[in-house]
Amino acid sequence: KLSFSIDIPSEIRLEIYDVSGKLVNAIAKGFYQSGLHMIDWNASGLASGMYFVHLARGSERLTQKVMLLK
């Protein structure tokens, strides 16, 4: 599960990239109300390793490094 919180209702994009910068999953895209949101990430087809979770909202960008362990 991945979680994010937004302070105002916004259009968001939540994507997962591998270490080479290739998009591997587009998890969520759309309009979300303000508050805390939990998104299920089905990583069953991916190998263990480092990935980057990228959240885009308007002109704001946030990237977090995550480790997938199986």
Side-chain angles (χ1 to χ4, degrees), residues 21-50:
K22 179 183 168 195
L23 176 66
V24 294
N25 279 117
I27 296 179
K29 181 179 181 182
F31 189 81
Y32 284 78
Q33 295 297 327
S34 58
L36 179 64
H37 301 276
M38 300 286 284
I39 305 288
D40 288 327
W41 175 28
N42 181 358
S44 62
L46 299 175
S48 294
M50 186 79 61

Side-chain angles (χ1 to χ4, degrees), residues 5-30:
S5 179
I6 53 177
D7 56 351
I8 58 172
S10 306
E11 186 81 22
I12 67 107
R13 249 183 17 254
L14 186 63
E15 301 167 327
I16 308 291
Y17 292 86
D18 65 14
V19 293
S20 68
K22 179 183 168 195
L23 176 66
V24 294
N25 279 117
I27 296 179
K29 181 179 181 182

